[in-house]
Amino acid sequence: MNAPSVNLVPQTVNRLLIILAFISLIGCRKNLTTPEYTISGRLLESSSNLIPVRNYQLQISQPDDYGLLGGVGGLTKDFRTDGNGFFSLVYTPEKSTGLVSGGANSYSFSITGIDTALYRNLFPYWYPVTANKDTNLDNIYLFKKIEKLVRKVQFNQALGSNDSLELITSAAYGANYKTLYGPIPAGTLLVADTINQFKTERFSITYGSYYLTSTLKKTSYQSDFNLKLPAGDETYREQLLVYP
C-alpha cells in the first residue's frame, strides 16, 4: 500500500516567507543605525598670539541638497569652545526626503564665529569642512594679523584733475577706505597708505590660506584684486593694484 502523498509546497513557501521576514528585519535594524560624526579642534586668537579663545560661540552650517526626486536638508548647529579653546561638535546627517531615500548630503560645512560678547563685530569664517567624516581641524585662528599693510597703485592711465578713485580693502571689523584724487599722471606708482595692525578673518581650509581683497572703484569702473596670504601672522605685506 502506497503512503499518502504530502504536498510540500505550502511548507516551502512558509519557510521562504520566514527567511524573507528575517532578512527584512535585519535590514530595518541596520537602517535604524544613524551615523554620527565629530568635528573638533582648538580656537586660538592668532598664530603670533596663542591665547585660547574661551567660551566663544560658533555656528556650523550646511546648505540643502535638493534633486529632482527628493533631497537632503542641510544642517545648522551652534556650539562653543571650552575653557581652553577646544571644541568638539557631534552631528548626525539629515535624512533624505522624496522618492529616493538613503542618501546623505555631501555639501561641505562652513564654520562662522557668531559671538556677540567676545570680539564684537568680528565674524571669522572657516571653509570648507568635509561632510560625513570625522574631522580634526587642529589649531584654527580668529584672524590673521599683518602689522603693516602697504597699499600701492600703479597708474597705467592718468587720473584726471577732476577725477577720483576709491580704494577699498575688506578686513576684519570692517573695510578700509582711501580716496585718491587726480591729477595723477600715467606711469605713476603711488603708495596709497599704510594700514597698521591689519586683520583678516576668512580662511580656506582647502588651501591653508587667507585672501585679501581690494577694489579700485569710480564711476563706470570697478576692478577687484585678490591676494592669497599664508596662514601665519606677518610683520609686513604689500598689495599692488593696477589702474585701469
Side-chain angles (χ1 to χ4, degrees):
M1 182 177 179
N2 295 330
S5 61
V6 179
N7 189 354
L8 297 178
V9 174
Q11 297 180 24
T12 304
V13 171
N14 288 337
R15 290 193 185 99
L16 288 175
L17 290 175
I18 292 172
I19 293 172
L20 290 174
F22 181 72
I23 293 174
S24 177
L25 179 61
I26 293 175
C28 289
R29 287 181 177 176
K30 184 177 181 180
N31 290 335
L32 289 174
T33 304
T34 304
E36 287 185 341
Y37 302 100
T38 302
I39 298 172
S40 59
R42 192 183 193 193
L43 180 59
L44 306 172
E45 187 174 276
S46 73
S47 67
S48 63
N49 194 24
L50 300 174
I51 298 174
V53 182
R54 301 178 175 90
N55 303 313
Y56 187 79
Q57 189 172 12
L58 297 159
Q59 183 179 89
I60 190 167
S61 60
Q62 179 191 43
D64 296 334
D65 184 5
Y66 287 122
L68 180 62
L69 300 178
V72 187
L75 180 70
T76 299
K77 194 170 185 178
D78 295 352
F79 60 104
R80 283 185 179 273
T81 60
D82 67 12
N84 292 307
F86 290 99
F87 59 88
S88 181
L89 169 70
V90 178
Y91 71 93
T92 300
E94 293 296 308
K95 295 180 179 179
S96 57
T97 59
L99 299 179
V100 179
S101 62
N105 190 335
S106 61
Y107 283 144
S108 298
F109 292 100
S110 61
I111 299 176
T112 308
I114 60 171
D115 203 298
T116 57
L118 302 173
Y119 301 91
R120 293 186 64 182
N121 300 319
L122 179 71
F123 302 99
Y125 183 79
W126 303 269
Y127 66 97
V129 180
T130 303
N132 310 319
K133 176 184 177 183
D134 291 330
T135 303
N136 184 359
L137 297 174
D138 295 319
N139 290 338
I140 59 175
Y141 305 101
L142 275 182
F143 50 75
K144 174 189 173 72
K145 181 174 66 176
I146 302 174
E147 292 185 17
K148 291 185 181 295
L149 173 65
V150 178
R151 299 189 291 181
K152 298 182 177 181
V153 181
Q154 173 68 47
F155 286 85
N156 289 341
Q157 177 179 308
L159 189 68
S161 57
N162 296 321
D163 210 351
S164 63
L165 187 65
E166 190 172 31
L167 169 56
I168 308 167
T169 299
S170 298
Y173 298 107
N176 293 274
Y177 293 85
K178 176 76 175 183
T179 302
L180 308 176
Y181 296 95
I184 300 176
T188 300
L189 176 60
L190 179 69
V191 177
D193 62 4
T194 298
I195 303 173
N196 294 314
Q197 300 300 309
F198 177 85
K199 297 179 178 68
T200 184
E201 79 274 59
R202 296 178 68 86
F203 182 70
S204 168
I205 295 171
T206 300
Y207 299 105
S209 58
Y210 293 86
Y211 290 89
L212 191 160
T213 300
S214 292
T215 300
L216 289 177
K217 183 179 179 181
K218 69 172 191 174
T219 304
S220 302
Y221 170 81
Q222 178 172 320
S223 185
D224 297 323
F225 301 84
N226 294 314
L227 182 61
K228 187 177 179 180
L229 300 172
D233 292 348
E234 300 180 59
T235 57
Y236 182 85
R237 169 72 63 173
E238 294 182 0
Q239 186 180 29
L240 178 64
L241 298 87
V242 179
Y243 171 78

